[in-house]
Amino acid sequence: MAYSFEHELIRCMPNLQRYACKLTRDANAAEDLLQDCLARALSRQHRFEPGTNMQAWLTTMLKNLHFNNLQRDRHVTKVELWDGAMSVDAAQMSRLVFRDVDRAFSSLTPSQRKVVKLVAIEGRPYQEAAETLNVSIGTIRSRLCRARERLNNLMAA
């Protein structure tokens, strides 16, 4: 029988399903994780070398997806509504979040605001920001670190 990527993928699914359940400890989340993994594998099948260990390739992909999801979920703000008694539409929520971010940004020192604007908002490299502000890269990193820490603390409060 000739090699078939899809056939090999199907053969690996039961082990992947068990591993996904072990990682997530939730059957629904495991199913979603497995589906994401299979979709990624199919979209990247050109990167797989036939004859190598597909189970290991897929297991690594599944594990990385899981950890990426955990990382992303850690940075997502969750809003709980009390017994459904309060409802907030998306536009109103985004205005409230924008207001809070604006207040937090305004509380930064002027030098921190300049660094955040150049590096985090405009996406400029540290070297360019350092040249623009006529300071060292270490100063840029330090200001950015303190600014991010302050913003995180204010937004968490």
Side-chain angles (χ1 to χ4, degrees):
M1 183 168 145
Y3 171 80
S4 166
F5 181 87
E6 292 80 9
H7 176 71
E8 188 71 16
L9 188 68
I10 291 169
R11 190 186 63 73
C12 294
M13 284 176 58
N15 289 336
L16 288 174
Q17 179 67 35
R18 283 190 290 278
Y19 188 54
C21 285
K22 182 179 178 181
L23 286 173
T24 62
R25 296 185 178 103
D26 175 8
N28 291 329
E31 197 171 306
D32 291 342
L33 181 60
L34 178 62
Q35 184 175 359
D36 290 345
C37 179
L38 296 174
R40 179 169 285 190
L42 287 169
S43 72
R44 289 169 172 75
Q45 71 181 12
H46 63 279
R47 293 183 182 176
F48 180 73
E49 295 179 32
T52 60
N53 188 343
M54 182 179 279
Q55 185 71 49
W57 185 66
L58 292 168
T59 300
T60 301
M61 193 179 298
L62 184 86
K63 179 185 66 166
N64 290 340
L65 280 167
H66 175 66
F67 290 127
N68 289 344
N69 290 344
L70 290 176
Q71 186 89 18
R72 184 193 67 232
D73 290 348
R74 196 176 315 146
H75 296 291
V76 173
T77 303
K78 294 189 171 101
V79 177
E80 288 191 27
L81 304 177
W82 301 276
D83 299 329
M86 177 182 165
S87 67
V88 179
D89 74 356
Q92 183 179 8
M93 182 59 75
S94 64
R95 282 192 301 274
L96 293 173
V97 170
F98 178 78
R99 183 202 66 198
D100 291 345
V101 169
D102 187 49
R103 284 182 182 166
F105 187 76
S106 297
S107 76
L108 297 176
T109 66
S111 60
Q112 288 175 338
R113 280 196 300 268
K114 288 176 188 173
V115 170
V116 169
K117 182 178 180 277
L118 288 172
V119 175
I121 297 173
E122 294 178 8
R124 303 237 182 123
Y126 287 14
Q127 181 65 42
E128 186 180 328
E131 290 168 2
T132 301
L133 298 176
N134 200 25
V135 296
S136 72
I137 290 180
T139 302
I140 294 295
R141 288 186 176 126
S142 174
R143 287 179 185 172
L144 188 60
C145 180
R146 285 194 305 271
R148 285 178 172 159
E149 187 176 312
R150 175 133 175 90
L151 289 172
N152 283 334
N153 289 338
L154 290 170
M155 293 306 293

